[in-house]
Amino acid sequence: PASCGGGRMNTNEMRIDAAFKELKMPGATRSWRPLIRDAQTKGQDPGVFLAALLESELISRRENRLRMLLAEAHFPEAKTLDTFDFTAQPSVPKTKVLALASADFLKQRESVVCIGPPGTGKTHLSSAIGVSCIHAGFRVRFTTVTALANDLLAARDNHTLTRAFRKWQRYSLVILDELGFVPLSRDGAQVLFQFISDRYDNGKSLVITTNLEFSKWTEVLHDPQMTAALLDRLTHRCHIFEHKGESYRFRESMKKKGRN
Ligand code: ADP
Ligand code: MG
């Protein structure tokens, strides 16, 4: 005996329920019975009922897609722009960041580089921009530079590097966190060069966070000529944010201590 919250279903209700399930309409499957009851009690026009039913399905699909996109992005923490304190980071202008949050920069094939010392909100800001791009409907993937290099090196050893690049190309935005924190091997730097030029050639955006100013990138990427070529591509259409000052967490904890 099938039941759906509101007791036993008659034959017709079972047909409706089975159809919505087979059509994979989770929102409609959940809401058709309460909506029918509502329509009956209010003597609603069938058109009003149908619109409400379709909208409940649309809402549920949008929510599912959003959940799926957020999960596949692998953000370390669910940081958003609402919780970013722009007054603490005056060299990161709010209007510019809000413009990026519209995700237009992805269509313009632009990239973003966040430069600054640890704790100054680079990961927070880049994740928040990523979350905004997801809300605008784009696929986003967050990774550390080290994890990406390891992924690509493993693919290269398996002779599947081309496939790995294709996999990464599915994302409209890749956020590469922490360039320069951990030294890269020469091979690691080599595949990173390939990755970044592959994205550039395909008009795909990147957000890179780093503690190193551009002049020091050779220190982790080893090859000065390759680094120059990479910077040339990366900075061609690029928004650069210079995060400054002391660690935000450190400053916040000092403020709290000062209050005690
Ligand atoms: P970074 O990546 O530059 O090392 P994080 O983004 O990890 O720094 O920031 C460290 C912590 O401080 C995080 O919890 C982050 O949310 C918080 N934080 C840093 N800057 C800000 C800011 N301007 N507004 C709000 N929180 C911030
Ligand atoms: Mg960080």
Side-chain angles (χ1 to χ4, degrees):
S3 84
C4 178
R8 263 164 198 275
M9 287 194 238
N10 64 33
T11 320
N12 195 46
E13 289 173 334
M14 276 157 74
R15 284 169 60 205
I16 299 173
D17 203 63
F20 278 140
K21 281 186 179 140
E22 188 172 335
L23 287 165
K24 296 197 180 8
M25 297 172 73
T29 303
R30 267 195 308 275
S31 66
W32 70 268
R33 289 190 94 195
L35 286 176
I36 282 191
R37 234 176 287 132
D38 210 36
Q40 280 167 342
T41 48
K42 291 181 187 157
Q44 243 171 19
D45 185 317
V48 176
F49 160 76
L50 187 57
L53 183 74
L54 292 171
E55 276 157 12
S56 80
E57 179 60 28
L58 281 177
I59 289 167
S60 136
R61 287 192 188 192
R62 280 187 208 125
E63 283 170 359
N64 286 344
R65 179 168 164 78
L66 201 59
R67 211 172 309 127
M68 186 275 286
L69 290 176
L70 285 169
E72 77 165 4
H74 289 82
F75 293 117
E77 283 179 278
K79 297 282 180 182
T80 58
L81 287 177
D82 321 330
T83 56
F84 192 78
D85 176 3
F86 285 92
T87 61
Q89 212 44 254
S91 38
V92 176
K94 187 171 183 178
T95 47
K96 264 195 95 173
V97 172
L98 293 183
L100 291 176
S102 74
D104 273 349
F105 77 105
L106 302 182
K107 286 174 231 149
Q108 306 297 326
R109 307 169 159 222
E110 293 164 349
S111 288
V112 177
V113 180
C114 300
I115 307 182
T120 52
K122 303 182 299 298
T123 301
H124 184 146
L125 186 72
S126 59
S127 304
I129 291 171
V131 171
S132 301
C133 291
I134 285 178
H135 281 274
F138 292 96
R139 292 183 71 178
V140 175
R141 182 70 159 84
F142 181 105
T143 178
T144 62
V145 169
T146 310
L148 174 74
N150 289 340
D151 179 71
L152 295 178
L153 285 175
R156 194 187 65 172
D157 293 345
N158 288 327
H159 309 285
T160 55
L161 193 56
T162 316
R163 203 193 303 161
F165 279 154
R166 265 208 304 275
K167 179 189 85 182
W168 284 95
Q169 267 177 30
R170 293 197 305 241
Y171 301 105
S172 303
L173 176 63
V174 173
I175 301 170
L176 291 181
D177 200 28
E178 303 195 335
L179 177 81
F181 278 68
V182 181
L184 281 168
S185 65
R186 273 182 189 275
D187 281 358
Q190 174 75 39
V191 285
L192 187 67
F193 285 129
Q194 274 177 272
F195 179 82
I196 291 174
S197 51
D198 180 75
R199 282 201 75 81
Y200 180 85
D201 294 343
N202 288 290
K204 301 270 185 178
S205 299
L206 283 170
V207 172
I208 299 184
T209 82
T210 178
N211 56 331
L212 298 176
E213 49 190 275
F214 290 133
S215 63
K216 292 196 175 140
W217 281 28
T218 326
E219 288 173 17
V220 284
L221 297 172
H222 307 291
D223 186 322
Q225 264 168 353
M226 295 272 251
T227 306
L230 177 150
L231 283 175
D232 195 50
R233 291 176 161 198
L234 190 64
T235 55
H236 177 209
R237 283 185 291 250
C238 188
H239 305 269
I240 298 164
F241 295 117
E242 285 183 67
H243 294 241
K244 291 187 179 140
E246 274 175 346
S247 155
Y248 186 81
R249 255 194 298 239
F250 177 72
R251 219 162 34 173
E252 289 296 294
S253 68
M254 290 312 278
K255 259 198 244 167
K256 277 192 197 123
K257 280 199 189 110
R259 278 204 295 268
N260 291 341

